[in-house]
Amino acid sequence: NHTPNFKRSSSQVLEEYSKRTREVARELLRGISESIGLEPDHIAKKLDLEQGMFQLLAANFYPPCPQPELAMGMAPHSDHCLLTLLTQNGIDGLQVQHHGNWVDVTNLSPNSFLVNVGDQLEILSNGKYKSVLHRAMVNREATRISIAMAHGPSLDSEVAPSPELLGEEEGTTQLPAYKGMKYRDYLLLQQSKQLDGKSGLDVVRA
């Protein structure tokens, strides 16, 4: 019976995958921090990411559907976290909303990550970065498999607009667009109801 060895092996693979994607997310957050005029480690320090970074892996299986026009793989929503790294099996189906229109995400490079901005990054950046409204569609011919790894702060971190992004800027006053909330509470809020656009963000808008 080789099952015990398989379990240990799969556990080790998931542990390594989690570690590597966490490193990618941290590096992306450094670049994002710099892009909005902050120090590279600002987000990591503000959210104490060295002490803990929440990760949630979601594996999604979308079998062929004989009437795809009558079905939805996953309803429109934004992710609750800071960043989501998504990879898939080469079958398209992801759509993102751009200027009110749904746009197909196609021709992703094999073994690449698609990076979605999540709600916590929109809150922390006071709207300079917008979380991505997206949905999953089904098709008649092929099974689509996607693996999404969500990265957020520790559950006890309170996420609010960074004070360094508020105040006077280019002759205008930047007020906080969102109220602070513990990530644990935000996560429970979003997971307690059906996916519905950016309804989680609507709760914390100032």
Side-chain angles (χ1 to χ4, degrees):
N1 186 348
H2 297 293
T3 302
N5 289 332
F6 172 76
K7 286 183 177 179
R8 284 196 294 270
S9 177
S10 62
S11 175
Q12 291 169 354
V13 169
L14 286 174
E15 182 179 357
E16 183 69 13
Y17 185 79
S18 299
K19 176 184 176 182
R20 297 299 185 184
T21 54
R22 191 159 58 243
E23 291 171 355
V24 173
R26 288 178 188 270
E27 196 61 32
L28 287 170
L29 289 171
R30 286 177 58 84
I32 288 170
S33 188
E34 285 188 287
S35 75
I36 54 178
L38 303 173
E39 293 296 317
D41 59 353
H42 175 86
I43 294 176
K45 285 184 176 179
K46 181 173 176 58
L47 299 180
D48 200 18
L49 297 185
E50 291 302 320
Q51 295 301 312
M53 176 180 270
F54 174 87
Q55 286 184 295
L56 176 66
L57 186 147
N60 302 301
F61 181 86
Y62 306 99
C65 176
Q67 294 180 291
E69 68 278 2
L70 301 180
M72 177 76 66
M74 188 173 291
H77 67 284
S78 58
D79 294 336
H80 51 77
C81 55
L82 290 163
L83 294 174
T84 298
L85 304 184
L86 181 139
T87 188
Q88 60 183 31
N89 65 335
I91 304 300
D92 295 333
L94 180 67
Q95 293 184 332
V96 299
Q97 192 172 92
H98 181 65
H99 296 316
N101 299 313
W102 287 106
V103 179
D104 293 322
V105 179
T106 60
N107 299 319
L108 294 179
S109 299
N111 302 315
S112 65
F113 285 122
L114 176 79
V115 182
N116 275 342
V117 171
D119 292 345
Q120 301 309 301
L121 189 53
E122 179 166 338
I123 294 169
L124 184 139
S125 70
N126 204 38
K128 289 183 179 295
Y129 274 82
K130 302 291 186 184
S131 60
V132 179
L133 191 61
H134 57 285
R135 66 184 185 183
M137 309 301 290
V138 293
N139 67 82
R140 286 187 179 88
E141 291 79 25
T143 293
R144 177 173 180 260
I145 299 173
S146 68
I147 298 176
M149 180 70 88
H151 295 82
S154 65
L155 292 174
D156 290 324
S157 294
E158 180 166 324
V159 184
S162 183
E164 289 81 358
L165 300 176
L166 306 177
E168 295 294 329
E169 180 180 297
E170 298 179 357
T172 62
T173 301
Q174 303 296 314
L175 299 174
Y178 306 95
K179 297 172 287 188
M181 178 183 282
K182 277 192 175 183
Y183 183 44
R184 179 191 305 276
D185 296 333
Y186 192 95
L187 184 60
L188 289 173
L189 171 71
Q190 195 213 44
Q191 298 295 307
S192 66
K193 54 186 178 180
Q194 290 185 336
L195 296 177
D196 181 21
K198 292 192 176 188
S199 58
L201 278 176
D202 292 338
V203 174
V204 297
R205 293 188 196 277

